[in-house]
Amino acid sequence: MNKVYPDAQTALDGLLKDGIMIMSGGFGLCGIAEWLSDAIRESGVKNLTVVSNNAGVDGIGLSRLLETRQIKKMISSYVGENKLFAQQFLAGELELEFAPQGTLAERIRAGGAGIPAFYTKTGVGTLIAEGKEEKVFDGEKYIMERGLFGDLAIVHAWKGDTAGNLVYRKTARNFNPMMATAAKTTVAEVEHLVPEGEIDPDHIHTPGIFVQRIVEVGSAKKHIEQRTTRKRTDPAIPAGTGEEV
């Protein structure tokens, strides 16, 4: 079975339909499947439900799908870096299901493991618990959370082989391994594609059994999520040199 595709658009061919649920790896701008999300934008598919810790920042990542109003609902943990996200939600133009970050991670992991639901103390007595089943264990209240399993997962890895085995680099590992297990079809974009067997089995984070399609995209774009600068007091460093940070 050939899993390697020449570009992101081809790798998504036949997988995109209106109304599907997409699992998207990444945390902030680290480890996001930027080439694949841009290809989804170009496809014009709409009414999407997207599961992601956040939606990137304005103009980068999933936010580009918000610009084109292709996302109907987000299931997320943190949205504070994205003004467009907030604007659409407050205007009633975007559905949002908030989940505490650990709960979101476990919902994705559970979906990938075939677990339909689980109980957690996180969120008991808060707005998160509204409308959810409650149960008492050992005298403590817990709420039931549903596992998440999508139609399509898009992930970004540092290295992959032609069999679909993936290695994530440092903090880009974040939500990607869980997302890769929690969908009917997983498409991975990798910076470096190597022949099958070249990756040490002990170094593999996502086994190829979870990955159906893979595309090599080259080195990741190094975006800065928050730029904080201050003026240097050293007169030997002239302003505008880039060293006054």
Side-chain angles (χ1 to χ4, degrees), residues 8 39 94 146:
L94 177 69
R146 294 295 308 269

Side-chain angles (χ1 to χ4, degrees), residues 43-99:
S43 76
V45 69
K46 57 184 183 297
N47 293 326
L48 302 172
T49 295
V50 178
V51 180
S52 178
N53 180 65
N54 54 288
V57 300
D58 294 277
I60 303 173
L62 293 175
S63 185
R64 285 171 49 76
L65 296 176
L66 293 175
E67 292 173 355
T68 50
R69 308 299 175 108
Q70 290 171 264
I71 298 177
K72 178 183 178 182
K73 178 179 180 179
M74 289 289 303
I75 301 176
S76 299
S77 169
Y78 176 65
V79 300
E81 299 297 330
N82 195 311
K83 293 179 182 177
L84 181 59
F85 193 135
Q87 288 169 359
Q88 290 187 6
F89 171 64
L90 293 173
E93 300 167 350
L94 177 69
E95 296 178 42
L96 174 59
E97 182 179 330
F98 267 125

Side-chain angles (χ1 to χ4, degrees), residues 101-112:
Q101 197 165 78
T103 299
L104 178 64
E106 181 62 10
R107 291 181 68 187
I108 299 163
R109 190 204 67 81

Side-chain angles (χ1 to χ4, degrees), residues 122-134:
T122 305
V124 170
T126 72
L127 292 174
I128 295 295
E130 288 189 359
K132 295 176 182 175
E133 179 184 324
E134 289 190 355

